[in-house]
Amino acid sequence: MTGIKKPSVWQYLRYCLGAVLPPDLHDWVRNDLISKGAATRFVVRVTTPVVLVLAPVYLLPTDIVTKLIMTMPLALPFVYFAIALNPVYRRYRLNKHGMDGDLVDQLRREKEAPDMQAYYARYRPEMLEDEANPPT
């Protein structure tokens, strides 16, 4: 990520809250949303406010079971949906910044490309022929 302009602290906080960054930071946004670790960064960003809101419960003078009963019904669904919907949200953020939302799956497609080629070579060779000779 060398050579990519990074947002200021204020811009980063606004970005975490959903703001659109200026066009000169779009390379950083693209890297943030599609590079390795993007899903983890997203889940951490989304769950941090919930943890901060629920943390004072653990200061109450009661046993840990009661504290868990008070916080887990809120925290677990929040984390679950953050994990489940992170590709959808990252695609939305790319679209919001004027980029192609399909970039979210780019790393997965690159990783699976050799397996897909082997599959098509073995089971669907006509598909490979179609790619090699596109219609004119």
Side-chain angles (χ1 to χ4, degrees):
M1 201 168 106
T2 58
I4 295 177
K5 183 180 176 187
K6 296 180 181 180
S8 66
V9 173
W10 178 247
Q11 287 174 321
Y12 180 75
L13 290 174
R14 290 188 59 225
Y15 171 77
C16 289
L17 295 174
V20 175
L21 292 178
D24 61 329
L25 292 170
H26 282 188
D27 288 338
W28 181 87
V29 171
R30 183 182 305 107
N31 186 58
D32 180 59
L33 294 173
I34 68 170
S35 67
K36 186 173 181 158
T40 304
R41 283 191 298 274
F42 168 76
V43 172
V44 168
R45 272 192 208 122
V46 169
T47 57
T48 298
V50 171
V51 170
L52 294 175
V53 167
L54 296 177
V57 170
Y58 288 89
L59 299 175
L60 296 173
T62 185
D63 62 310
I64 190 70
V65 173
T66 304
K67 294 174 186 177
L68 288 171
I69 289 172
M70 292 169 61
T71 57
M72 287 302 118
L74 293 171
L76 287 178
F78 208 87
V79 171
Y80 172 79
F81 283 109
I83 292 169
L85 295 176
N86 94 53
V88 174
Y89 183 72
R90 289 187 299 133
R91 186 172 283 114
Y92 166 75
R93 293 297 303 265
L94 282 168
N95 288 335
K96 195 172 176 183
H97 281 86
M99 294 177 239
D100 182 15
D102 289 335
L103 290 172
V104 169
D105 299 323
Q106 179 180 354
L107 286 178
R108 181 181 55 82
R109 281 194 300 263
E110 289 172 2
K111 189 188 306 182
E112 293 174 354
D115 293 336
M116 292 301 294
Q117 287 287 46
Y119 171 82
Y120 284 128
R122 182 169 183 179
Y123 297 109
R124 304 286 306 268
E126 71 276 2
M127 297 289 286
L128 293 176
E129 292 170 7
D130 291 343
E131 282 183 15
N133 302 318
T136 54

